[in-house]
Amino acid sequence: GAGVSQSPSNKVTEKGKDVELRCDPISGHTALYWYRQSLGQGLEFLIYFQGNSAPDKSGLPSDRFSAERTGGSVSTLTIQRTQQEDSAVYLCASSLGSGINFQQYFGPGTRLTVT
Amino acid sequence: AQTVTQSQPEMSVQEAETVTLSCTYDTSENNYYLFWYKQPPSRQMILVIRQEAYKQQNATENRFSVNFQKAAKSFSLKISDSQLGDTAMYFCAFMKHETDDMRFGAGTRLTVKP
């Protein structure tokens, strides 16, 4: 596809269940990012991948959150034992280029609602 | 770690007037890049303007300009002749030189009133 895609677009889950969110970056983009945006709030950095490795996992809110990226492409963000405070829009972005030519391309997000 | 602070959660401006959104950041780096992104209700993030820290000249893009004060670690966005379509969340972002590690501020919700 031409842009970053994320699935599902919406997910409603019961408290305590596990969820998996998927991100398909733009083909060839080496860097991939996950952010969380709570209703009307700012962007909270979660994790960033350079290729398949994650140089910085410091943004993950708790050990219930994990992410992986395989083949330098698709990434999944997993939230175990979901809590109501996990409800948010989860945004994925990918990028190519560096320096002043750097630009992130964002996906449409996955809206997660934990009931 | 770098932090980006946007101290104005919400702002409003009358159509055709000028508004300035504030952003400060904390870093020990000398070379870096700063960005302003716009997120309209569609949720799509749009790059508005970017600035290289080693350039003293402030970046401009049509009605959008920045006031970059490196010593003060300040990077404000000025929107001139505000239009209704400028209504959005605006995020300030920081990236270290020669990395892909981008960090965002909490955002400022701007409403342009007719």
Side-chain angles (χ1 to χ4, degrees), chain A residues 31-112:
Chain A
L32 186 147
Y33 311 76
W34 283 100
Y35 298 93
R36 179 168 70 175
Q37 186 174 26
S38 301
L39 184 63
Q41 300 303 310
L43 281 175
E44 177 186 3
F45 170 81
L46 297 179
I47 191 169
Y48 134 74
F49 288 92
Q50 181 57 255
N52 289 338
S53 64
D56 189 347
K57 301 180 181 179
S58 64
L60 294 175
S62 73
D63 58 9
R64 297 186 295 105
F65 287 72
S66 62
E68 64 175 17
R69 187 181 188 197
T70 55
S73 182
V74 172
S75 175
T76 54
L77 176 69
T78 302
I79 309 173
Q80 296 178 309
R81 305 181 303 281
T82 51
Q83 303 294 313
Q84 288 186 331
E85 61 263 29
D86 299 335
S87 295
V89 174
Y90 290 82
L91 288 168
C92 174
S94 68
S95 70
L96 184 67
S98 61
I100 200 58
N101 296 316
F102 173 92
Q103 185 171 350
Q104 282 184 319
Y105 297 84
F106 281 80
T110 293
R111 183 179 296 282
L112 174 66

Side-chain angles (χ1 to χ4, degrees), chain B residues 34-66:
Chain B
L34 296 161
F35 304 82
W36 277 98
Y37 277 83
K38 169 185 176 181
Q39 187 186 40
S42 67
R43 222 161 67 193
Q44 183 60 42
M45 295 284 279
I46 303 165
L47 178 65
V48 174
I49 199 166
R50 52 188 158 198
Q51 174 85 37
E52 299 158 279
Y54 59 85
K55 284 190 176 179
Q56 292 187 339
Q57 186 175 5
N58 288 323
T60 62
E61 286 287 343
N62 301 315
R63 297 183 296 107
F64 298 88
S65 62
V66 297

